[in-house]
Amino acid sequence: MEASDKHCLDILDIVASLMQVPDMATIDLSHMHDRIIVTITDVKGQMVFTDEFTGVNSISLDLSKYESGTYFVKLEEVKSSVVIQLVKE
């Protein structure tokens, strides 16, 4: 599979890259986090997904149930957070 979009961010303790193919997004974290919360909101600010992950360095998100559009993926840990824009076609 070829990635249609890739973002890399390095903010405080979170270094993440997001690789997206049509109905799947994978977030690769540079190191394992004890606890990370992933929240996805749409452009209206409505939360469409939230979940907590522990002891992971990669998270796969199924995007097939979401309509086409722009979403914001927020990654939060104890000391920091980062938001990555995701466009689903």
Side-chain angles (χ1 to χ4, degrees):
M1 282 188 218
E2 290 185 17
S4 62
D5 202 0
K6 182 174 182 176
H7 301 281
C8 235
L9 299 171
D10 182 357
I11 298 179
L12 298 175
D13 291 335
I14 298 177
V15 179
S17 65
L18 182 138
M19 301 235 0
Q20 180 184 348
V21 292
D23 285 331
M24 184 66 72
T26 302
I27 301 168
D28 290 318
L29 304 168
S30 63
H31 62 279
M32 192 171 300
H33 292 267
D34 291 333
R35 177 178 171 252
I36 194 155
I37 299 169
V38 177
T39 304
I40 301 176
T41 56
D42 63 16
V43 293
K44 297 176 186 173
Q46 295 179 330
M47 182 175 22
V48 295
F49 174 85
T50 188
D51 203 351
E52 182 178 318
F53 299 88
T54 56
V56 298
N57 59 1
S58 181
I59 300 166
S60 293
L61 302 171
D62 180 5
L63 305 175
S64 63
K65 59 186 171 192
Y66 302 121
E67 294 183 19
S68 298
T70 302
Y71 296 89
F72 300 97
V73 181
K74 184 176 184 179
L75 308 172
E76 292 180 88
E77 66 168 6
V78 176
K79 299 177 189 174
S80 59
S81 66
V82 64
V83 177
I84 303 170
Q85 182 177 320
L86 179 144
V87 178
K88 181 173 187 290
E89 297 181 2

